[in-house]
Amino acid sequence: MSFDRKIKIAPSILSADFANFGQEIRAIEDQGCDWVHVDVMDGHFVPNLTFGPATCKAIRPHIRTVMDVHLMIAPVDPYIEAFAEAGADIITAHAEAGPHIHRTLQAIRATGKKAGLAINPGTPAEVLAPVLDLVDLVCVMTVNPGFGGQKFIHSQIDKVRSLRAMIGDRPVHIEIDGGITPETAPLVAAAGADVLVAGSGVFSGGSVSNPDIYGKNIAAIRAAAEAAQ
Ligand code: DX5
Ligand code: ZN
């Protein structure tokens, strides 16, 4: 994975057909997405459950781009090895998931995978400062994590701007997760984001038998973001 700040669209398969991940992934990749965002939830750190490393391992062969795994689980450390073995390219853990985020990021890096730090809407940008040299990506939650289809929280845009200033010329992506549409994408792109996760924004209206809609949704978000970057 080489680093650049070009806009990347990462559809979240949380909004895909769970009985058909293989074909859904093929459809979004054929329709031009850059990464595939995989939301892992434990029903404890967030009030919803999705799936674990076995499902990640099963979908891995279907992903030709980048497998971006977002862990909404606590504790995280006992499972890092399993997600690395499942084939994640990026493993993102939440700053709020426990008292030892520094150790968690070290453990992710030790597997040879890219390390991401996710921060909830109620958590300040400053949590990044002490771990800045341990991360490849910071994921700014623009909804409270747990569910797709929630409303974008506008107060997070200033946080994106602060993070962009803190990162400077380091090779650290700023990813935005939650409520991304062609209307909200330009706001975060202008503030310094380069990776846009979109679940409902990509999948709604389409299906594996009508994948052109996925392509139109991806293209609309990308165009709106690029025009603002
Ligand atoms: C929320 C997840 C997101 C979610 C985004 O907890 O981390 O990745 O799928 O969904 P939308 O784009 O519908 O807000
Ligand atoms: Zn996510």
Side-chain angles (χ1 to χ4, degrees):
M1 272 179 75
S2 60
F3 181 85
D4 63 56
R5 290 203 181 281
K6 273 189 271 177
I7 294 292
K8 282 164 276 294
I9 309 297
S12 164
I13 59 167
L14 185 63
S15 294
D17 175 1
F18 271 44
N20 209 0
F21 278 145
Q23 284 189 57
E24 289 277 38
I25 289 164
R26 169 169 288 273
I28 53 174
E29 290 191 335
D30 286 348
Q31 294 295 327
C33 78
D34 300 280
W35 294 2
V36 176
H37 185 82
V38 180
D39 285 309
V40 176
M41 304 185 185
D42 67 353
H44 164 74
F45 178 68
V46 289
N48 195 7
L49 283 161
T50 54
F51 45 73
T55 304
C56 290
K57 192 173 191 170
I59 66 178
R60 173 71 256 193
H62 298 274
I63 298 178
R64 290 166 286 162
T65 58
V66 170
M67 187 179 198
D68 174 31
V69 176
H70 178 192
L71 298 180
M72 287 161 274
I73 65 174
V76 186
D77 296 8
Y79 304 102
I80 290 171
E81 197 61 50
F83 285 103
E85 274 168 20
D89 295 298
I90 303 166
I91 299 177
T92 295
H94 268 263
E96 307 84 2
H100 297 297
I101 189 62
H102 187 283
R103 175 185 289 153
T104 300
L105 293 167
Q106 281 181 319
I108 296 171
R109 280 266 179 97
T111 66
K113 306 298 184 178
K114 302 279 187 201
L117 173 74
I119 52 182
N120 283 334
T123 301
E126 285 66 34
V127 296
L128 176 67
V131 294
L132 194 44
D133 293 324
L134 278 176
V135 301
D136 302 289
L137 173 149
V138 54
C139 173
V140 181
M141 295 306 304
T142 42
V143 297
N144 284 295
F147 303 95
Q150 302 181 82
K151 217 167 138 353
F152 179 87
I153 302 172
H154 283 261
S155 60
Q156 301 306 302
I157 296 169
D158 279 347
K159 191 194 285 183
V160 177
R161 217 169 276 122
S162 307
L163 291 166
R164 184 68 194 86
M166 282 164 73
I167 288 167
D169 54 15
R170 292 175 179 81
V172 177
H173 294 291
I174 298 183
E175 176 178 75
I176 309 297
D177 192 357
I180 290 295
T181 64
E183 288 68 48
T184 57
L187 308 176
V188 290
D194 61 299
V195 184
L196 306 180
V197 174
S200 46
V202 166
F203 285 94
S204 61
S207 68
V208 293
S209 48
N210 194 9
D212 292 6
I213 302 289
Y214 296 165
K216 286 199 180 99
N217 290 340
I218 290 167
I221 294 168
R222 191 193 304 284
E226 281 177 352
Q229 202 180 27

